[in-house]
Amino acid sequence: MDKQDDKTGVEKSGAEARPRRKPRAPEPAPPEQQPAPPQPERQPPATAAEPKPRRPKRAAKPEPPRDRQRAPRAAAPSDPRRAALALLAAVHEGATLTEAAGSLDALSPADRARAQRLAATALRFRGRADAVLAPLLHRAPRPETADLLRLAVTEMLALGEAPHGVVNAAVAAARAGGPKAAAAAGMVNAVLRRAAEAQAAWDAAPPARLPDWLRSPLAARWGEAVAAAIEAAHETTPPIDLTGKPGATLPGEALPTGSHRLPPGARVSTLPGYDSGYWWVQDAAAALPVRLLDPRAGERIADLCAAPGGKTMQIAAAGAQVTAIDLSPARLERVAENLRRTGLTADLVAADATAWRPETPLDAVLLDAPCSATGTIRRHPELPLIRDGAMIPDLVRVQAALIDHALSLLKPGGRLVYAVCSLHPAEGEAQLAAARTRHPGLVVEPPDLPGLDPAWVVDGAIRTRPDHWADRGGLDGFFIVRLRIPG
């Protein structure tokens, strides 16, 4: 999923992140993350309750449901820490961090970036924070107080901030949060002073555990050790990857597959080549589908579900005639903006991808299908808290319909690359098996790409995971396969 903002490297929500849920009262996190909430007349140790994910709305037709912009109930204050708390509160309401970021417009760019970084880091390390806080609490605090505690503990023990300043800021935030929050200020002060001495407990704690609806199929497919390695990878702040035009000079470390990698937090718009449009932000795994498609000059190719356009630009840079299709005109405008910056051209069509049809059959189709986005949790650490897996069957049906339609657009001998930024086998390995059953003559063409680790190729398809390239900063999770119809 190449949903990053080319100016900041910050991820933007896209087709893969669309399923939403109706609001529901928060419920406790799984017991492996924290103790159960207190019962009447008891005082068991507990940390903040996580909200129970809400069910998505069912799409009216085989296109993914669209993102719904949400914001915190109150505007975020000017202080970055309190703004981060507002972002965490929005996540409890079912919003993504990207959706909630609209409440930060009053902040300076630096403070806005810090607030987003603090919120994301607190979400990444919530498992360790809960492990530190659980023995220090006599009862579960209110959700907003729990967020305050987690954020402060993360600042002290993960980011190395001075405990005195963090504790004082947390107590001030509690006192400014209304009568109920203010009543907890003394507890916040006492708990955080003890938590500041708990570095050993933090270091020994496990990462946040994935929800069972995702962890169970991962463990069944790859084993407990891999599931744990993926959870550990989700704690790592991801680097920023770049894809460039052929022959362009790119900043950063050259990766074996052809992408270039910058450290987390790099301000890409200030780097050489940005204004000239020589390159764009795109995770190294997200660049693989087009490399597998192998577009050639003069070919007629469709990019279905194209926004924000990273893959469209890859195809256009190869000299192919590309038509980018997306249901949303607003999202297509982002594609147009990216094309203007890079000086590349494509035909943009706002249409239902399952209804659009070219005048003549195509040489190739790229289908980066709507999916659960579970391969991007390292970039979107809020996803396990706002999803419950109920959207998987609907997404699988949408993906199957898109595969069938995409195949019908090809000339004899044409090729289709199907890709999803999902770790869930139902959207990848099982989806491929089902497609081959529906289309008996379909040929899977194994990848032969420079720098591709042979261990990533399974049954002719590419499967990347967040724990791959752990020494380099990891990868998004993708399933990618090239299919050819008989010619």
Side-chain angles (χ1 to χ4, degrees):
M1 180 180 83
D2 55 327
K3 310 300 180 189
Q4 287 173 298
D5 185 286
D6 269 346
K7 292 184 179 180
T8 64
V10 173
E11 294 291 335
K12 298 292 186 181
S13 54
E16 297 83 348
R18 290 170 186 159
R20 314 299 306 147
R21 285 143 308 283
K22 298 178 181 178
R24 185 176 294 179
E27 293 185 6
E32 59 271 12
Q33 291 191 30
Q34 62 181 48
Q39 301 297 322
E41 306 303 327
R42 299 180 185 176
Q43 294 185 342
T47 59
E50 300 283 9
K52 184 174 181 179
R54 289 168 284 279
R55 289 183 173 273
K57 293 182 179 180
R58 184 180 299 272
K61 53 186 176 180
E63 277 288 333
R66 314 302 297 178
D67 276 346
R68 180 182 301 170
Q69 295 298 318
R70 298 192 182 193
R73 294 178 179 175
S78 58
D79 175 75
R81 285 190 178 103
R82 297 182 193 181
L85 291 172
L87 294 178
L88 295 175
V91 170
H92 289 311
E93 294 296 321
T96 67
L97 289 176
T98 300
E99 292 168 347
S103 68
L104 308 184
D105 290 344
L107 297 177
S108 68
D111 284 348
R112 182 164 57 248
R114 185 182 178 210
Q116 292 174 297
R117 186 166 57 250
L118 286 173
T121 305
L123 290 168
R124 286 192 181 98
F125 287 109
R126 67 189 183 277
R128 293 181 190 271
D130 284 350
V132 168
L133 290 167
L136 305 180
L137 294 168
H138 296 295
R139 57 172 59 88
R142 294 170 57 84
E144 60 270 24
T145 303
D147 283 340
L148 179 60
L149 292 170
R150 284 191 183 117
L151 179 60
V153 168
T154 300
E155 285 190 85
M156 293 187 294
L157 303 183
L159 301 179
E161 299 289 344
H164 178 75
V166 172
V167 173
N168 286 347
V171 171
R175 288 172 176 164
K180 292 183 178 179
M187 179 272 290
V188 168
N189 179 65
V191 167
L192 291 181
R193 289 183 182 279
R194 295 175 63 191
E197 306 298 325
Q199 187 70 57
W202 174 279
D203 294 341
R209 186 179 174 92
L210 288 168
D212 285 344
W213 66 265
L214 179 58
R215 195 183 201 281
S216 292
L218 299 191
R221 185 85 190 181
W222 298 305
E224 286 290 332
V226 169
I230 290 172
E231 289 167 339
H234 288 163
E235 283 192 334
T236 304
T237 302
I240 298 172
D241 295 340
L242 308 177
T243 299
K245 293 179 179 179
T249 299
L250 277 66
E253 173 197 359
L255 298 175
T257 55
S259 298
H260 279 235
R261 177 156 287 185
L262 301 170
R267 190 73 182 179
V268 297
S269 61
T270 65
L271 296 174
Y274 175 82
D275 290 335
S276 302
Y278 293 157
W279 45 261
W280 52 92
V281 176
Q282 187 178 38
D283 187 83
L288 293 176
V290 173
R291 293 193 171 117
L292 183 60
L293 186 70
D294 190 22
R296 299 159 196 147
E299 286 190 317
R300 297 179 61 252
I301 298 175
D303 181 5
L304 303 183
C305 309
K311 297 176 180 65
T312 297
M313 290 185 285
Q314 282 182 279
I315 298 171
Q321 301 174 36
V322 56
T323 301
I325 298 96
D326 200 273
L327 186 62
S328 167
R331 286 170 55 79
L332 276 178
E333 179 54 33
R334 289 187 59 202
V335 180
E337 291 173 1
N338 287 328
L339 288 169
R340 284 192 291 269
R341 184 179 67 81
T342 56
L344 298 169
T345 59
D347 294 326
L348 307 184
V349 179
D352 181 335
T354 59
W356 177 83
R357 187 169 292 276
E359 294 181 359
T360 57
L362 301 169
D363 296 293
V365 171
L366 174 69
L367 173 56
D368 184 10
C371 69
S372 63
T374 46
T376 69
I377 291 174
R378 69 194 191 117
R379 298 188 184 276
H380 302 283
E382 73 276 15
L383 292 185
L385 305 181
I386 64 173
R387 304 284 170 82
D388 63 1
M391 73 290 205
I392 296 295
D394 283 345
L395 286 169
V396 167
R397 283 190 287 271
V398 170
Q399 293 155 2
L402 285 166
I403 289 172
D404 293 347
H405 182 66
L407 290 171
S408 76
L409 307 180
L410 294 170
K411 63 174 60 173
R415 62 199 188 278
L416 164 67
V417 165
Y418 169 74
V420 283
C421 58
S422 170
L423 292 172
H424 203 297
E427 301 177 88
E429 291 82 356
Q431 189 68 267
L432 171 60
R436 298 186 74 179
T437 298
R438 296 193 305 274
H439 305 275
L442 206 56
V443 177
V444 174
E445 296 188 328
D448 182 17
L449 299 178
L452 191 69
D453 190 328
W456 301 354
V457 181
V458 181
D459 296 330
I462 299 172
R463 164 55 82 183
T464 63
R465 303 193 311 253
D467 59 309
H468 289 158
W469 275 357
D471 57 334
R472 289 190 169 101
L475 278 173
D476 282 353
F478 259 85
F479 179 86
I480 312 162
V481 64
R482 189 167 84 176
L483 306 170
R484 192 179 293 273
I485 59 176

